[in-house]
Amino acid sequence: MRLVQRREATVVIVTIGVVIYFAIRTSTFYSVANLITMAQYTSSIAIIGSGEVLLLVLAEIDLSAGQMYLTAPWIVYLLWADGVPIGWAIVVSLACSVVVGLINGFVTVWLGVPSLIVTLGTNYALFGLVLVESNAIQQNMPGTTGEFGILFGVGSWSVGLWALGIGVVIWVLLKQTRFGTHVTATGGNTLAAAEAGIPVRRVKVWCFMIIAVAAGMSGILDSIRIASLNPGNSGLDIVLPGIVAAVIGGTALTGGRGTVLGTLIGAIFLGVLEDGFNLIGVSANWFFLVEGVVILLAMAVNTQLGSLAARTRR
Amino acid sequence: MTTTSDSPGATPPAADGDAEDIILSTEGITKRFGAVVALRGVDMHLRRGEVLGLVGDNGAGKSTFVKIVTGFQRQDAGRIFVEREEVNFHSVTDARRAGIETVYQDLALVPQLTVYENLFLNRELTGLGRLGWLSRPKMRRLATEYLHDIRVSVPDIDAEVELLSGGQRQAIAVARATRQNAKILLLDEPLAAMGAKESTLIIDLVKDLSKNRGVSMIVIDHNYTHLFELCDRLNVIQQGRVTVDTRVADTSVEDLTELMVAEYRRQVREGQALLQA
Ligand SMILES: Nc1ncnc2c1ncn2[C@@H]1O[C@H](COP(=O)(O)OP(=O)(O)OP(=O)(O)O)[C@@H](O)[C@H]1O
Ligand SMILES: [Mg+2]
C-alpha cells in the first residue's frame, strides 16, 4: 500500500513498462550511444519540468519557460558577437532570464493577471525579440570548443548531468528547505500562509525567477551542444513537454502538491518513448498519438490512486 | 457594570483598576471594506492576565478587529497600544515580535502540510546557516512533545492536516498559538467545531495559560456558557462598536441579552429619527 500511496507510482510503472517494451523490441536500446541520446533529449524536459513543479505547487504556470530556453542562447550569441567573452555572456544572459522571471512574477502577483496569460504574453514577446534581433537568420552558437564546450553541453553526458543537478537542487529546495514549505503553504492555502506571516507574493516571484533562470541555462547548454541557433523554433513546443512530465509525474494542477522526482521520471518516460519509436522505426506521428493517450491514462490512474490512497490512510 | 451605549467610543479605561496593568488597548479603530463599515471606532482594553470575551452577531466586526490587532490587516484610523506604547504593525511578524499570537477563525492551516509542519508554519526550525535546511526530526519531536503535554491527540504527527477532523484541526491551530509563550493571545472562535470533550480540553488549556502563565487573552465565542466559564470580562460588539463592557461576575446571560436588545432598540430609534429628520 505504501508504494501505491506515493504520487510517483503511476509514472514509475508506465516508465518501467515502456523501457521493457523497447528493450525487447530493439537490440540497441541499452547501447551507450542510445542512452546518451535519451539523456540529451530528456534534459530540457527535466529542467523545465522541475521548474514548473514549483509553479504548479503554487497553482501558477509558466508558459514562457520554453521561449526563455530559446532566447537565452541568443542573448549569449549577440553579446559574444559584440566581443563579450563567452563566460560573461552566459552570466549576463542568465541575469536577463532572472529579469524575465521577475516581470512574469510581478505582473502576476501585483497586477493580478493570471500567470497563464502573463507568461503567454512573455512567450510571444520573447519570440518577437528573437526574430527582430536575429533578423530571422540562423547562427552558429559560440563556446562549443575545448573544455568549456565539453562542460557546457558538448560532453556526452554534460546536459544530462546538468539536468540531474538542477533537478536535485529544485527537489531539495521544495522538500528540504523553509522556502519549499512556504511554496507549498502558499499554493495549498494562500490565506493561511499569509495569516502565518509568509510573504506569499515574494515567494511566487522567486519561483518565477527560478524557473526562468533554469530554463535559460538549459537552452544555453543545448545550443552549445548542437552548436546552432534557430530563431524560428517555438517555445511552446519546448515548455509543454516539461509541463506534461510534471503532470504525469504526479504534480497536481490545483496547487499544494508536487513532486520533482515524479517529474524527472516523467521526463525520462517521454525521452524513452520518443527514442524507442525512433529505434523501431515507427513514424514520429505515432509518438504524439501515444503520448496523448498516455497522458490521459496516467491522469485517470493518478486521480483514482489519489482517492484510493486518501481512503486507505484513514 | 458600565454600558457605553450612550456615549459610543468612550470606554473608560481601567475604571476599576490601576492604569499601569493594561497590556493591550485600542483607540478608535475604524475599518471599512468598500461600502461596508466593519468597525466604527473600537475602544478596547485588556489587562495583564485577564481573559476578555468578545460577543456579537455575525458580521459585527469581531474577526476584523482581531486581524487588525494581529497585523494582518491595517486599520483605516485608530491607534493600538501594547503595554502603553503605541505600535504600528505592518505584518503579522511585527505583531508576533510584540508578543501577540492569534488563532484565526479560519484556522490558517495548510491541508497539504503535515501536523508538525503546520505547528511550525513560518517558524520552521532550520540548520545549516542561512540555507534554510529544515530540521525535520527536531520539529517532529517538539511537536509530539507539545501535543502530548497539552493532551491533544492526533492520529499521526506526519498525517496531512487534510485528513484530520474539524475539531482536530482546531486543536492544532490552538496549539500552534499557545506553543509560543506569547504575552497576548487572540482566539477567534477557538471552540466552534469542537465536541464537548475537546472543548473542555481547550478550555482547560486556556485557563491554565491564564492562571499559571499570566497570558492575557481575548476570546471570541458565540457560546455564553463557554464565555462565562472562561472570561473575567465581556465586551459586546454591535455594528462595529463596543456597546457593553462588563465584568462577568457582575452580569448574567439574561442581563447581557437585555442590554443587547436595548442597544438594537436604540439603533432602530436612531434610524427612525434620522429618517424623520
Ligand atoms: N476582506 C473583507 N472584504 C470585504 N468585507 C469584509 C472583509 N472582511 C470582513 N468583511 C465584512 O466586514 C464585516 C465584519 O466581518 P467580521 O468577519 O469581522 O465579522 P464577525 O463579527 O467576525 O462575524 P462572525 O461572528 O460571523 O465571525 C462583515 O460585514 C463582513 O462581510
Ligand atoms: Mg468572525
Side-chain angles (χ1 to χ4, degrees), chain A residues 12-308:
Chain A
V12 169
I13 292 164
V14 295
T15 304
I16 292 174
V18 292
V19 166
I20 292 174
Y21 176 76
F22 288 121
I24 293 172
R25 282 290 308 272
T26 70
S27 57
T28 46
F29 185 80
Y30 278 128
S31 69
V32 172
N34 190 49
L35 292 179
I36 290 171
T37 307
M38 276 193 287
Q40 288 172 342
Y41 174 79
T42 303
S43 152
S44 67
I45 304 178
I47 293 174
I48 292 174
S50 301
E52 292 288 356
V53 170
L54 293 177
L55 291 179
L56 293 174
V57 168
L58 288 170
E60 303 286 353
I61 201 162
D62 182 358
L63 293 180
S64 70
Q67 193 59 50
M68 192 69 251
Y69 165 99
L70 294 171
T71 306
W74 273 105
I75 299 175
V76 173
Y77 168 79
L78 292 167
L79 288 168
W80 173 83
D82 277 348
V84 178
I86 181 81
W88 282 110
I90 289 178
V91 171
V92 173
S93 172
L94 293 178
C96 293
S97 307
V98 172
V99 171
V100 171
L102 191 67
I103 293 170
N104 279 337
F106 194 85
V107 176
T108 301
V109 161
W110 270 282
L111 302 187
V113 185
S115 53
L116 185 87
I117 303 302
V118 175
T119 57
L120 205 53
T122 321
N123 172 72
Y124 287 117
L126 289 174
F127 184 48
L129 202 66
V130 167
L131 288 178
V132 169
E133 288 293 321
S134 67
N135 292 316
I137 299 167
Q138 288 202 9
Q139 297 293 349
N140 293 327
M141 182 71 182
T144 58
T145 52
E147 283 176 6
F148 184 91
I150 290 173
L151 189 62
F152 288 93
V154 179
S156 305
W157 295 100
S158 168
V159 292
L161 290 174
W162 274 98
L164 192 64
I166 292 172
V168 168
V169 166
I170 295 178
W171 181 4
V172 166
L173 190 70
L174 184 61
K175 285 296 164 213
Q176 270 313 316
T177 69
R178 189 156 190 248
F179 179 77
T181 307
H182 291 185
V183 171
T184 305
T186 301
N189 185 349
T190 311
L191 180 62
E195 284 175 338
I198 294 170
V200 293
R201 293 193 281 204
R202 216 182 306 158
V203 167
K204 287 192 178 186
V205 173
W206 268 109
C207 289
F208 279 104
M209 295 197 292
I210 292 169
I211 188 173
V213 77
M217 187 67 201
S218 176
I220 292 169
L221 295 169
D222 273 351
S223 298
I224 292 176
R225 175 171 69 81
I226 58 179
S228 75
L229 289 166
N230 180 354
N233 285 340
S234 155
L236 291 180
D237 286 345
I238 291 161
V239 73
L240 290 179
I243 295 171
V244 167
V247 169
I248 59 177
T251 294
L253 288 166
T254 44
R257 292 181 196 287
T259 153
V260 176
L261 177 63
T263 304
L264 296 180
I265 300 169
I268 292 173
F269 168 77
L270 294 178
V272 169
L273 204 61
E274 162 112 1
D275 177 71
F277 275 102
N278 274 334
L279 287 184
I280 58 179
V282 175
S283 145
N285 302 337
W286 277 95
F287 171 76
F288 288 110
L289 180 57
V290 172
E291 186 185 343
V293 171
V294 166
I295 293 170
L296 294 177
L297 282 179
M299 290 313 292
V301 174
N302 274 351
T303 319
Q304 290 308 304
L305 284 185
S307 53
L308 177 69

Side-chain angles (χ1 to χ4, degrees), chain A residues 172 175-179 181-182 184-185 187-189 191-199 255-257 310 313-314, chain B residues 67 72 92-93 96 104 106-113 117 121-124 126 131-134 136 160 162-163:
Chain A
V172 166
K175 285 296 164 213
Q176 270 313 316
T177 69
R178 189 156 190 248
F179 179 77
T181 307
H182 291 185
T184 305
N189 185 349
L191 180 62
E195 284 175 338
I198 294 170
R257 292 181 196 287
R313 263 183 290 188
R314 263 164 226 264
Chain B
K67 285 180 189 164
F72 182 66
V92 177
T93 318
R96 280 180 169 182
Y104 295 96
D106 64 36
L107 302 183
L109 299 175
V110 180
Q112 295 88 349
L113 292 178
E117 285 168 329
L121 191 60
N122 202 23
R123 283 215 161 88
E124 296 84 3
T126 56
L131 279 181
W133 188 273
L134 294 175
R136 289 186 186 277
E160 286 178 7
E162 188 167 61
L163 302 173

Side-chain angles (χ1 to χ4, degrees), chain B residues 55-112:
Chain B
V55 261
D57 297 318
N58 299 120
K62 305 179 296 294
S63 297
T64 305
F65 179 75
V66 162
K67 285 180 189 164
I68 287 171
V69 173
T70 201
F72 182 66
Q73 281 171 354
R74 188 114 181 111
Q75 69 269 34
D76 298 331
R79 309 204 287 170
I80 304 172
F81 302 85
V82 173
E83 297 183 314
R84 304 246 146 218
E85 295 274 327
E86 180 162 7
V87 289
N88 249 311
F89 296 148
H90 294 285
S91 72
V92 177
T93 318
D94 288 348
R96 280 180 169 182
R97 272 195 211 110
I100 301 177
E101 277 296 321
T102 314
V103 177
Y104 295 96
Q105 186 168 9
D106 64 36
L107 302 183
L109 299 175
V110 180
Q112 295 88 349

Side-chain angles (χ1 to χ4, degrees), chain B:
Chain B
M1 181 192 306
T2 48
T3 84
T4 58
S5 46
D6 317 359
S7 53
T11 315
D16 54 353
D18 161 11
E20 283 302 293
D21 62 2
I22 288 186
I23 190 163
L24 173 76
S25 60
T26 67
E27 235 178 65
I29 299 287
T30 303
K31 178 78 182 176
R32 46 192 319 155
F33 298 101
V36 179
V37 185
L39 300 175
R40 36 189 106 215
V42 175
D43 301 319
M44 199 178 286
H45 63 277
L46 176 68
R47 296 194 187 83
R48 195 179 299 279
E50 184 181 46
V51 182
L52 170 67
L54 280 194
V55 261
D57 297 318
N58 299 120
K62 305 179 296 294
S63 297
T64 305
F65 179 75
V66 162
K67 285 180 189 164
I68 287 171
V69 173
T70 201
F72 182 66
Q73 281 171 354
R74 188 114 181 111
Q75 69 269 34
D76 298 331
R79 309 204 287 170
I80 304 172
F81 302 85
V82 173
E83 297 183 314
R84 304 246 146 218
E85 295 274 327
E86 180 162 7
V87 289
N88 249 311
F89 296 148
H90 294 285
S91 72
V92 177
T93 318
D94 288 348
R96 280 180 169 182
R97 272 195 211 110
I100 301 177
E101 277 296 321
T102 314
V103 177
Y104 295 96
Q105 186 168 9
D106 64 36
L107 302 183
L109 299 175
V110 180
Q112 295 88 349
L113 292 178
T114 64
V115 170
Y116 78 87
E117 285 168 329
N118 270 286
L119 269 177
F120 282 89
L121 191 60
N122 202 23
R123 283 215 161 88
E124 296 84 3
L125 303 179
T126 56
L128 296 187
R130 289 182 38 82
L131 279 181
W133 188 273
L134 294 175
S135 311
R136 289 186 186 277
K138 194 168 173 198
M139 287 196 279
R140 219 181 252 124
R141 181 169 53 77
L142 291 178
T144 311
E145 278 170 19
Y146 184 70
L147 290 180
H148 181 261
D149 284 352
I150 63 172
R151 288 182 294 131
V152 165
S153 59
V154 288
D156 181 359
I157 201 91
D158 286 312
E160 286 178 7
V161 161
E162 188 167 61
L163 302 173
L164 301 187
S165 74
Q168 287 170 330
R169 288 181 203 200
Q170 206 136 18
I172 303 296
V174 173
R176 176 169 66 193
T178 56
R179 206 181 65 81
Q180 298 300 327
N181 290 321
K183 285 190 294 201
I184 300 166
L185 262 181
L186 309 174
L187 304 160
D188 194 349
E189 306 200 22
L191 306 170
M194 285 186 164
K197 184 169 148 244
E198 290 80 6
S199 297
T200 314
L201 198 88
I202 298 299
I203 288 174
D204 288 349
L205 172 66
V206 168
K207 277 182 171 170
D208 173 66
L209 287 171
S210 156
K211 299 278 163 335
N212 302 328
R213 306 238 192 117
V215 179
S216 318
M217 297 184 222
I218 296 180
V219 182
I220 297 173
D221 206 311
H222 288 289
N223 181 326
Y224 285 109
T225 320
H226 292 156
L227 288 172
F228 275 74
E229 183 173 356
L230 269 177
C231 302
D232 305 311
R233 196 159 56 93
L234 292 175
N235 275 8
V236 178
I237 294 197
Q238 284 172 294
Q239 305 278 331
R241 212 180 262 141
V242 178
T243 54
V244 180
D245 177 7
T246 171
R247 280 172 37 184
V248 166
D250 296 343
T251 191
S252 64
V253 176
E254 291 74 26
D255 286 353
L256 215 52
T257 318
E258 223 163 81
L259 285 170
M260 288 171 78
V261 171
E263 170 64 17
Y264 290 133
R265 293 228 173 86
R266 198 190 62 77
Q267 282 172 2
V268 169
R269 276 200 309 276
E270 205 173 60
Q272 282 168 346
L274 271 178
L275 280 179
Q276 281 160 8

